[in-house]
Amino acid sequence: MSEGYAALESLLATGGSYTVVLGSRAELEPWRYGQLQPSLQSSNSVLERLDCDFARYTSVYQFAEIIKTKYAEPIDVLVLCAGKISSRCRHTVDGQEETLQVNVLSHALLIELLALKLGVNGTPCRILMVGSSLHRSVPEGTVSPANIDTKLSVNFDPMEVYHITKLIQVFLMYTVQERFNDDQRPVSVVVVSPGYIPDTGLSRELGRLKTGFSHFIMPHAPFSTPLPDGGRTVCRGITQNFPSGTYFSQRKIEETAEETYNMELRHAWTQWFISKNVWKPEFIEAPAPPMAPLGPIPAPGHVENYGQGQELDQGQWQWQGQGQGQTPMMPFGQSGSYPPQTQQPWFQMPGQGQGQGQGSHS
């Protein structure tokens, strides 16, 4: 069970009533749904799963298209927790190194595709990325947009590449922050490092010995983070009022790697995201790049509904009331009090179950 599912359990325990749209490569296992079902019922919440594979841009486009056409409500929280460590250098059908695409590029693409549903009509929105403090382990000045392709292909080291992608993720946070600040929409973006959670499946490709070591030995290490604790830390990123551009861990708000404060370097990485066709100079409805044409929308069999509620036209939900003790979402990055909720918050959680590959190291 990844920290994303643990965060969902923590969220459902807050007393609110939510609709959660889960994007994943694999279907939700019956045993996992069984774990969530009591909390879904008691909170009068709904969990819906849609296909989304961050290793394929077409899948990300299809996921975003369903969200935009099926759900009229703006998105309150977008949680990006897909991640993996590839055992060797290999490229996706989109021509990108796989770890880089899953851990960073598809995150940027999904934000871009859903941008017009974020911070709509003054509704505060939070973008939450699950990161790692290991981004600081990349020696300063050794990775840049000019040499990233070489870094990811020559003398490939799985953990080094993972660290690099987490550094680039921090630059993505600042890129997104700048965009929404310029657009003057109430959208905040933060990165959370939930701690070293060894048994998330992040290292599933590194061989049975390392996987077994991670599964049976590392959870007993004094620096390891129990999965429920990691989930609660991620949940804080959903419910607490962090200013946009915040990086925080279990214990405190932290500074990011020193080089991420270099404004020229931030601008260079923003231009790099644009060059990769996952980011635009401004928010516009753009077609998929030629290398990833939009395929047919998945058939209804690819959509799964869990929990309470009655489906109406255009895929809207008829709610049975807010439930007792609902805690309104905090005003993400805004001053003043959050306006009363008239409907359940909407949470998009793409990447959950990305090959059971969401995990973080601290």
Side-chain angles (χ1 to χ4, degrees):
M1 181 177 179
S2 73
E3 74 278 3
Y5 286 112
L8 177 55
E9 288 186 331
S10 295
L11 178 68
L12 295 174
T14 62
S17 184
Y18 308 102
T19 291
V20 182
V21 179
L22 175 70
S24 66
R25 191 175 68 174
E27 294 186 1
L28 189 65
E29 302 96 326
W31 66 267
R32 196 184 298 279
Y33 171 62
Q35 284 186 331
L36 295 172
Q37 180 63 10
S39 297
L40 290 168
Q41 290 181 336
S42 62
S43 64
N44 194 36
S45 296
V46 171
L47 171 62
E48 180 171 0
R49 194 202 74 83
L50 302 174
D51 285 344
C52 188
D53 182 355
F54 271 25
R56 296 189 300 114
Y57 285 157
T58 53
S59 181
V60 178
Y61 272 91
Q62 290 166 359
F63 176 81
E65 189 66 22
I66 293 174
I67 296 298
K68 290 187 291 185
T69 57
K70 184 175 182 180
Y71 305 116
E73 291 83 353
I75 296 170
D76 291 302
V77 179
L78 178 64
V79 180
L80 299 162
C81 52
K84 72 174 303 180
I85 300 175
S86 297
S87 61
R88 57 186 175 85
C89 181
R90 60 173 175 262
H91 289 75
T92 68
V93 295
D94 304 297
Q96 305 300 326
E97 193 283 319
E98 186 177 52
T99 308
L100 179 66
Q101 181 164 332
V102 172
N103 292 3
V104 186
L105 294 176
S106 286
H107 296 223
L109 177 61
L110 187 60
I111 296 171
E112 179 68 46
L113 294 174
L114 295 178
L116 298 181
K117 291 184 68 68
L118 309 178
V120 178
N121 298 325
T123 302
C125 175
R126 161 68 48 79
I127 300 172
L128 175 64
M129 304 177 187
V130 177
S132 171
S133 61
L134 287 177
H135 79 275
R136 300 190 190 93
S137 68
V138 179
E140 184 174 356
T142 61
V143 177
S144 71
N147 69 8
I148 182 62
D149 290 335
T150 301
K151 281 286 185 179
L152 297 181
S153 59
V154 177
N155 298 322
F156 184 90
D157 179 88
M159 288 307 301
E160 180 184 9
V161 170
Y162 176 76
H163 300 172
I164 290 172
T165 63
K166 289 302 176 181
L167 175 64
I168 301 174
Q169 181 189 52
V170 174
F171 281 107
L172 176 61
M173 175 184 72
Y174 291 123
T175 292
V176 176
Q177 179 192 22
E178 181 180 13
R179 170 74 69 78
F180 281 104
N181 284 348
D182 292 344
D183 205 40
Q184 297 184 339
R185 276 191 277 171
V187 177
S188 63
V189 54
V190 302
V191 172
V192 55
S193 175
Y196 175 62
I197 307 173
D199 193 20
T200 61
L202 186 67
S203 59
R204 65 194 180 278
E205 290 190 6
L206 301 184
R208 285 185 291 180
L209 180 60
K210 291 183 178 180
T211 300
F213 185 78
S214 178
H215 180 79
F216 294 106
I217 305 300
M218 293 307 295
H220 303 287
F223 53 81
S224 294
T225 300
L227 183 59
D229 290 349
R232 282 188 285 271
T233 300
V234 175
C235 187
R236 285 174 54 208
I238 298 173
T239 60
Q240 293 190 12
N241 183 18
F242 292 106
S244 188
T246 296
Y247 179 97
F248 71 97
S249 65
Q250 287 179 297
R251 299 173 182 83
K252 61 182 180 179
I253 293 176
E254 300 179 3
E255 292 186 350
T256 55
E258 184 174 351
E259 65 184 296
T260 63
Y261 296 99
N262 183 316
M263 301 306 293
E264 291 185 1
L265 194 55
R266 286 188 187 182
H267 177 73
W269 280 109
T270 297
Q271 295 304 309
W272 179 81
F273 286 121
I274 294 172
S275 73
K276 290 291 184 179
N277 291 322
V278 296
W279 199 248
K280 304 296 177 184
E282 60 184 16
F283 286 137
I284 57 175
E285 290 285 5
M291 62 182 176
L294 179 62
I297 299 301
H302 290 256
V303 179
E304 303 157 14
N305 300 325
Y306 305 94
Q308 305 299 310
Q310 176 183 353
E311 193 169 6
L312 302 179
D313 293 339
Q314 290 84 43
Q316 304 310 306
W317 292 93
Q318 177 66 51
W319 296 101
Q320 306 301 319
Q322 293 289 317
Q324 298 299 316
Q326 172 160 354
T327 303
M329 297 298 293
M330 296 296 292
F332 302 138
Q334 304 298 308
S335 60
S337 60
Y338 191 83
Q341 293 273 355
T342 58
Q343 59 189 9
Q344 285 75 5
W346 284 75
F347 297 90
Q348 317 296 328
M349 300 181 70
Q352 281 305 111
Q354 178 75 35
Q356 317 312 310
Q358 313 72 254
S360 296
H361 297 255
S362 68

